[in-house]
Amino acid sequence: MSAPLAVASPFSTRLRAPRRFSGIGAPRAALLEARPRGSPADAGGGAVLRASAADRAAEIQAESRALARAVNSPVYSPELLARKYRSRPVKVMRRALDVLIALGVFALKLLIDQRYGRVDQNRRKRGVELRLILTRLGTTFVKIGQGLSTRPDICPPEYIEELSQLQDALPTFPDSDAFACIESELEMPLDSIFSSISATPVAAASLGQVYKARLKYCGQLVAIKVQRPGIQEAIGLDFYLMRGLGFLINKYVSGITSDVVALVDEFARRVYQELNYVQEGQNARRFKKLYADKEDILVPDIFWDYTSGKVLTMEWITGVKLNELDALERHGLKVLDLVSTGIQCSLRQLLESGYFHADPHPGNLLVTPEGRLAFIDFGMMSETPEKARYAIIGHIVHLVNRDYEAMARDYHALDFLSPEVDVSPIVPALQNFFDDALNATVSDLNFKSIVDGLGTVFYQYPFTVPPYYALILKSLTVLEGLALHADPNFKVLAASYPYFAKRLLTDPNPYLRDALIELLFKDGRFRWNRLENLLVQGSKDRDFSTKDALQPVLRLLLDPHGEELRVLVIKEAVYVVEAIVLASAIDTYNSIPYFMRVLLNSDTNGPFIMSNVELKSLMDLRDQVFRIWGLLQTSKSFDPQLLQPVLQVLQQPEARSLGVHLAGGVTHRLAARMLQQLLLRTSKSPDLAFSPL
């Protein structure tokens, strides 16, 4: 039997007997938590419903009490920070010099290493120095280091290994301060809440540190996150300085077109939201409701009566960090499968509900012994605007089609460009980049190369990168960075394509229906190879359903305003019927023994006279349609009754008209084909090849 997975922490998890602090108030427990999880409910359906309603009411009450305790949590306000620190020039100057000297000395050492050819020799040493510098500079710079630790495309492996320690191995603050904070925030003595608590933190992050404890009333193992003392003052000064630097960059640095001040403000708002642990608990609850319906995603429960603005109590999750490859392999877990799970979950976050985890670094992602991916930190969340969700998928379609004019127009919908900006000069830049990048297939394109290439285009034109998009890039590059540790050839778009294919085939949203038509039709002809590829890729997504793929297409086809599409579909359907009939006739003829073919056709030229190119085109189309039908049949959700909607829609006026036009088109096409064959056999044209025997 393999050893159990270790808790993802560099610290031990020794439990200590609870020490009694000066009591503040009496023991309390939420009504919701009065019955330990898993205990039997009252017998009878009515009792279960009553208990469920009571639980929901109790949870709302407990959350309300937590909100009351967090009423004074800080909120980011650049105006308040400006008023505060303008009157403290000495403190501001001291902090600015501290940062400039620390980073300046480090930059000077790098220049010296480069000058004397010692870059490789000193890389490990410099990585340690950078980690120590960022740690000393405090929370704001620790968060910058956390971001760099997930970017193997920017930082060498030695730097990444050192900076990864910034995720949960930061210096701790005194335990007495942490325990006093818990008692003060919850207004209860420790021994009335916990039957045991770890003697030291099991992890220390940028904003707080975590203890492992057991709740006294139910025996549930929990993680208690306690905020660092004085952190609001420290990050407030840093953001004041960063915002001032942003104003200088906006004014004097012409090469940067993004609003740096806006980006600083967005980052600051996110960090300040992380200082309110009740808000983080609400984020976790919302995230769990939206995404924990999948068996491979785990989100911990929140214990509201033991949560406040500076204390967060949640279910304890046992596991290892997603970037601990050796530990994962020892337990038979594959990091690429787990990263793919993370990517699929991220795509759901970004493109379905729009509510997404904006900081998925390895310290926030654990893998349980059962192979589930657990999100354990919900301080930094963001939302994708609804219009942008569909525009992103449409952008992928335009990328596949190499429709650079449409790609340029997408930047209006994505809020990258104001509506009055003319996108025509941007088209050649997009074409120059993607024509080189897409010399293989879209799924082979590295996400980083897209980001870098678009970044070059953005710098040349008046783009403004919205804050939500910057967080999307961060989220996806983090996941790709984790995968690159295990496989340098990993491509995030290849892992994402099944999701995009499923959405295009199944989502009834009008924007995506139009995108699907745009992908499948070109110059009035249906591209069967695109449909086959979409079905192949979409079937790789575990949520793909044949039923969901058929019904939106039928609704689209029979839409009262879909006359133009119906004309194209009828035309293509005629081609398909002709291909099936003629190709089947040729196959039947070629299966007849040779002597019988001689009796049936004295010149042994086969049933039809046509060029080899035309013959191959017919056979290929017939075979491709049959392959697509086979893909639909082999779908795990396929049921012949799925075709029942086809019979039902035949009763609609649009469907009857469609059938009449289809029958007429097929009859006309086959009659024309027979007449052509008659004339060809009469003329005996010598420059046409005959179908093979």
Side-chain angles (χ1 to χ4, degrees), residues 26 228 473 649:
R228 289 181 179 273
L473 292 183
V649 299

Side-chain angles (χ1 to χ4, degrees), residues 168-237:
D168 60 2
L170 292 168
T172 63
F173 58 90
D175 298 319
S176 58
D177 291 349
F179 296 149
C181 178
I182 295 173
E183 288 197 322
S184 174
E185 287 287 307
L186 302 183
E187 299 181 350
M188 288 183 273
L190 279 187
D191 56 1
S192 70
I193 307 172
F194 309 114
S195 59
S196 61
I197 189 169
S198 55
T200 58
V202 296
S206 54
L207 300 182
Q209 58 194 36
V210 179
Y211 294 85
K212 182 179 182 180
R214 190 177 297 277
L215 288 177
K216 191 171 185 178
Y217 81 94
C218 67
Q220 172 74 46
L221 276 176
V222 293
I224 309 110
K225 183 159 72 170
V226 187
Q227 195 170 111
R228 289 181 179 273
I231 193 170
Q232 180 182 350
E233 177 71 21
I235 66 172
L237 178 53

Side-chain angles (χ1 to χ4, degrees), residues 279-296:
Q279 178 64 55
E280 180 174 346
Q282 292 176 318
N283 294 343
R285 181 198 59 198
R286 182 180 176 186
F287 192 90
K288 185 182 184 76
K289 181 179 180 181
L290 289 172
Y291 310 116
D293 56 331
K294 305 301 179 186
E295 61 182 11
D296 47 14

Side-chain angles (χ1 to χ4, degrees), residues 352-642:
E352 290 182 17
S353 70
Y355 184 68
F356 68 94
H357 196 296
D359 192 24
H361 65 72
N364 294 338
L365 295 172
L366 297 183
V367 182
T368 70
E370 301 80 22
R372 300 176 73 185
L373 190 62
F375 292 78
I376 60 170
D377 188 297
F378 302 91
M380 187 173 289
M381 311 295 290
S382 189
E383 297 197 49
T384 312
E386 183 177 10
K387 181 175 68 171
R389 297 176 217 161
Y390 298 111
I392 291 171
I393 298 178
H395 201 59
I396 296 295
V397 171
H398 297 148
L399 176 62
V400 172
N401 285 341
R402 302 196 185 201
D403 187 346
Y404 302 120
E405 292 185 7
M407 285 183 68
R409 291 194 298 271
D410 289 337
Y411 296 125
H412 289 310
L414 290 167
D415 292 329
F416 280 44
L417 295 171
S418 57
E420 66 273 7
V421 173
D422 179 17
V423 297
S424 55
I426 301 170
V427 175
L430 292 173
Q431 184 171 356
N432 290 337
F433 168 67
F434 282 110
D435 276 349
D436 291 336
L438 295 178
N439 52 13
T441 62
V442 174
S443 61
D444 288 332
L445 192 59
N446 190 289
F447 183 72
K448 174 188 175 295
S449 65
I450 290 183
V451 173
D452 292 346
L454 288 178
T456 302
V457 176
F458 290 172
Y459 286 135
Q460 296 173 354
Y461 298 94
F463 282 88
T464 299
V465 179
Y468 79 86
Y469 185 76
L471 291 172
I472 288 175
L473 292 183
K474 175 185 176 183
S475 178
L476 291 179
T477 50
V478 164
L479 290 170
E480 186 175 59
L482 289 170
L484 290 174
H485 281 292
D487 181 6
N489 297 317
F490 180 84
K491 302 295 188 296
V492 71
L493 283 181
S496 305
Y497 202 64
Y499 173 86
F500 285 107
K502 180 202 70 174
R503 286 291 301 275
L504 285 170
L505 288 169
T506 62
D507 198 310
N509 180 271
Y511 187 96
L512 296 187
R513 296 297 91 215
D514 291 343
L516 179 62
I517 294 172
E518 185 178 343
L519 186 67
L520 295 180
F521 284 92
K522 182 179 182 182
D523 299 329
R525 287 305 305 270
F526 189 84
R527 295 188 280 189
W528 291 94
N529 61 319
R530 288 283 175 86
L531 177 59
E532 183 178 6
N533 184 49
L534 284 176
L535 287 169
V536 169
Q537 294 294 330
S539 62
K540 296 177 182 178
D541 189 287
R542 69 186 62 184
D543 296 327
F544 177 76
S545 166
T546 304
K547 177 180 178 181
D548 293 339
L550 287 176
Q551 291 182 347
V553 174
L554 284 174
R555 286 196 294 268
L556 182 67
L557 184 60
L558 300 177
D559 188 278
H561 303 290
E563 182 62 32
E564 183 178 354
L565 177 62
R566 283 194 288 273
V567 170
L568 293 175
V569 169
I570 291 171
K571 180 180 177 181
E572 193 63 35
V574 169
Y575 289 140
V576 170
V577 173
E578 180 192 35
I580 292 174
V581 171
L582 296 184
S584 299
I586 292 171
D587 284 344
T588 301
Y589 179 84
N590 289 336
S591 67
I592 298 174
Y594 179 77
F595 75 91
M596 294 185 64
R597 280 184 273 168
V598 173
L599 295 176
L600 293 172
N601 188 350
S602 58
D603 59 12
T604 67
N605 289 323
F608 303 109
I609 300 174
M610 62 183 68
S611 69
N612 288 329
V613 173
E614 186 179 8
L615 175 62
K616 184 177 186 304
S617 177
L618 282 173
M619 303 295 281
D620 288 347
L621 177 57
R622 190 274 308 266
D623 293 345
Q624 195 159 47
V625 170
F626 283 176
R627 284 199 305 271
I628 290 172
W629 176 244
L631 287 171
L632 292 173
Q633 285 184 305
T634 56
S635 170
K636 62 183 179 182
S637 60
F638 181 81
D639 187 330
Q641 292 184 354
L642 294 176

Side-chain angles (χ1 to χ4, degrees), residues 249-364:
I249 293 174
N250 284 347
K251 185 174 182 180
Y252 296 109
V253 181
S254 58
I256 298 179
T257 57
S258 299
D259 186 344
V260 178
V261 173
L263 293 176
V264 170
D265 286 344
E266 180 68 17
F267 179 50
R269 274 191 290 270
R270 302 295 175 188
V271 174
Y272 268 78
Q273 286 177 7
E274 290 188 75
L275 294 180
N276 184 348
Y277 285 176
V278 172
Q279 178 64 55
E280 180 174 346
Q282 292 176 318
N283 294 343
R285 181 198 59 198
R286 182 180 176 186
F287 192 90
K288 185 182 184 76
K289 181 179 180 181
L290 289 172
Y291 310 116
D293 56 331
K294 305 301 179 186
E295 61 182 11
D296 47 14
I297 298 296
L298 177 63
V299 178
D301 290 326
I302 304 298
F303 293 83
W304 291 109
D305 259 2
Y306 310 117
T307 295
S308 71
K310 296 182 179 180
V311 175
L312 175 63
T313 302
M314 65 170 63
E315 176 187 3
W316 178 264
I317 303 295
T318 298
V320 296
K321 292 192 297 184
L322 189 54
N323 64 343
E324 294 181 347
L325 305 185
D326 293 339
L328 293 174
E329 289 178 1
R330 283 197 302 271
H331 294 87
L333 301 171
K334 297 181 179 179
V335 68
L336 292 183
D337 292 341
L338 296 164
V339 169
S340 294
T341 296
I343 289 173
Q344 294 297 313
C345 184
S346 293
L347 291 172
R348 289 183 66 204
Q349 295 171 47
L350 300 173
L351 302 176
E352 290 182 17
S353 70
Y355 184 68
F356 68 94
H357 196 296
D359 192 24
H361 65 72
N364 294 338

